């Protein structure tokens, strides 16, 4: 994934899942990104707002707010997301969708977009057998673009989404361009 010179702050606003905050802190440390946390007892809306204020005060130009995951629609969590969005007015609201859900991604995306309004999606676990059914569903029901795809478990496995490459995967033709790019970057890194 191309890198840009940004000063990034991640905000740990998933206060419900055990170890979510520490997992985000470990991720931040591994990629050299600061993580803002107020602990598991804080209100996620307050966390997001305080993170944005910290970012403004300390010269960060990008804030990523990690909220609680949603495999099913939970009205209380949707209300929380609406309140976060209203409070911090983000430039992007991205839904992270597990590609293994296939066509079920459509109902999740439609509900999420209706309740909160998304600007795009990130599709994870695209290294599995799903062959892109979730990608078609997400785009079809929301009309919003897929911005990134996760093709593995590691941070470098998050890459920009290219619809033509997904079409090749769905049709079983493989993704030769991504393979060549990956090989080129591996050779460059080794030099």
């Amino acid at each position: 994934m191309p890198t840009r010179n940004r000063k990034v702050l991640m905000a740990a606003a998933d206060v419900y899942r055990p170890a979510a905050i520490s997992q985000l802190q470990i991720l931040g440390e591994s990629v050299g990104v600061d993580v803002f946390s107020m602990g598991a007892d804080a209100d996620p809306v307050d966390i997001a707002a305080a993170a944005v204020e910290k970012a403004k005060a300390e010269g960060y130009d990008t804030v990523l707010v990690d909220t609680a995951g949603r495999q099913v629609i939970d009205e209380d969590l949707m209300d929380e997301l609406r309140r976060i969005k209203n409070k911090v007015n983000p430039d992007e609201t991205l839904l992270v969708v597990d590609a293994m859900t296939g066509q079920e991604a459509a109902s999740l995306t439609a509900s999420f977009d209706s309740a909160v309004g998304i600007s795009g999606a990130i599709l994870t676990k695209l290294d599995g057998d799903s062959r892109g059914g979730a990608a078609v569903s997400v785009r079809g029901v929301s009309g919003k673009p897929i911005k990134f795809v996760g093709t593995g478990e590691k941070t470098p496995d998050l890459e920009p989404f290219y619809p033509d490459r997904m079409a090749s995967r769905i049709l079983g033709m493989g993704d030769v361009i991504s393979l060549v790019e990956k090989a080129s970057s591996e050779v460059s890194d080794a030099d």
Side-chain angles (χ1 to χ4, degrees):
M1 187 161 122
T3 56
R4 297 190 174 123
N5 291 325
R6 292 187 176 271
K7 186 174 180 186
V8 178
L9 178 66
M10 292 192 294
D14 180 353
V15 297
Y16 307 105
R17 190 171 54 84
I21 295 170
S22 62
Q23 285 178 335
L24 193 65
Q25 289 168 331
I26 291 166
L27 173 64
E29 190 175 305
S30 75
V31 296
V33 171
D34 294 332
V35 175
F36 176 81
S37 172
M38 292 170 52
D41 294 327
D43 181 339
V45 178
D46 295 338
I47 295 168
V52 169
E53 288 307 311
K54 175 183 174 70
K56 288 177 183 174
E58 297 180 21
Y60 291 90
D61 55 21
T62 303
V63 178
L64 301 173
V65 179
D66 178 46
T67 61
R70 287 145 182 90
Q71 291 295 339
V72 294
I73 302 305
D74 176 313
E75 194 51 45
D76 289 338
L77 291 175
M78 287 297 160
D79 181 59
E80 177 181 285
L81 285 177
R82 283 189 287 270
R83 291 184 294 118
I84 289 172
K85 191 171 182 180
N86 289 336
K87 185 78 170 183
V88 302
N89 192 28
D91 293 327
E92 296 267 10
T93 303
L94 301 176
L95 173 63
V96 178
V97 179
D98 181 339
M100 298 304 283
T101 62
Q103 297 299 319
E104 293 175 27
S107 60
L108 177 66
T109 302
S111 297
F112 194 95
D113 191 34
S114 173
V116 179
I118 63 172
S119 57
I122 298 172
L123 207 54
T124 65
K125 299 183 186 168
L126 210 58
D127 55 327
D129 300 350
S130 59
R131 311 272 277 185
V136 174
S137 297
V138 167
R139 178 67 181 191
V141 300
S142 71
K144 306 298 187 333
I146 296 168
K147 305 268 184 152
F148 295 95
V149 294
T151 58
E153 300 266 336
K154 305 288 183 195
T155 308
D157 297 328
L158 183 66
E159 52 192 51
F161 175 70
Y162 300 105
D164 54 335
R165 296 178 190 185
M166 176 58 66
S168 293
R169 283 182 185 167
I170 291 171
L171 297 173
M173 298 176 353
D175 183 356
V176 175
I177 296 171
S178 291
L179 181 63
V180 169
E181 285 178 351
K182 181 123 178 112
S184 296
S185 71
E186 294 295 325
V187 169
S188 301
D189 291 345
D191 290 342

